[in-house]
Amino acid sequence: MPALTFAFITLYKRSEKFPQEIGKYFAINYVIIGASILLSFLLDMPVSTYKSGVGIKGWFFTGNSQSYIIGVMAMLALYYFYNKKNNIGFIVTMLVAFVQMFFFGTLVALYSIFITAGVFLVIMLWNREKRWVMAG
């Protein structure tokens, strides 16, 4: 973790575009995670989140850790598109993130859907947002 912290600090200090574009990188990361899960199904090697067969985690090692990661990435990626006023990017990212969290099947992932949606509704009400397409 300390190495990642120093790497991000260095990127923030040395790159002018990085702070404004980081949300886009989180959206790209969603595509990579989704492709990895899809590839596990195409190769007929998917792993369930739980031994009962509930949830789809692809080749990721632990379900809860990955749930935390995709939950945090969802907030940051959606906030990026919200700030850029990119309705299509926001809606596509929201759909991909929420579907991915739903099929992961952990409580963390399922709660993250409601927390993320609730946070954005509060932000929109707070800012008196006129673009209700963002409400999904």
Side-chain angles (χ1 to χ4, degrees):
M1 234 16 214
L4 288 174
T5 302
F6 286 122
F8 277 113
I9 290 170
T10 303
L11 282 171
Y12 269 101
K13 286 183 176 180
R14 294 195 180 172
S15 175
E16 293 177 17
K17 287 186 175 182
F18 185 75
Q20 292 83 21
E21 299 293 320
I22 192 167
K24 180 171 57 174
Y25 304 138
F26 285 114
I28 291 168
N29 206 354
Y30 262 110
V31 172
I32 293 169
I33 290 170
S36 139
I37 293 171
L38 184 62
L39 188 60
S40 76
F41 274 94
L42 292 175
L43 296 175
D44 199 28
M45 300 168 50
V47 178
S48 296
T49 307
Y50 296 106
K51 291 179 183 173
S52 64
V54 173
I56 301 168
K57 72 175 182 179
W59 290 322
F60 295 100
F61 186 67
T62 59
N64 280 331
S65 297
Q66 190 63 21
S67 297
Y68 290 121
I69 291 168
I70 61 175
V72 169
M73 283 187 347
M75 288 272 198
L76 297 170
L78 288 170
Y79 188 70
Y80 168 78
F81 288 112
Y82 177 80
N83 271 350
K84 292 286 184 180
K85 299 182 183 344
N86 183 339
N87 295 342
I88 294 184
F90 185 89
I91 291 170
V92 168
T93 303
M94 182 183 62
L95 288 173
V96 169
F98 287 1
V99 166
Q100 200 170 51
M101 285 189 269
F102 178 79
F103 283 113
F104 237 76
T106 65
L107 285 176
V108 171
L110 295 175
Y111 288 153
S112 293
I113 294 170
F114 296 107
I115 291 169
T116 302
V119 164
F120 275 96
L121 285 173
V122 167
I123 288 171
M124 290 171 63
L125 290 171
W126 185 275
N127 292 328
R128 295 185 178 110
E129 183 64 55
K130 303 290 188 239
R131 295 175 295 147
W132 284 100
V133 71
M134 296 291 197

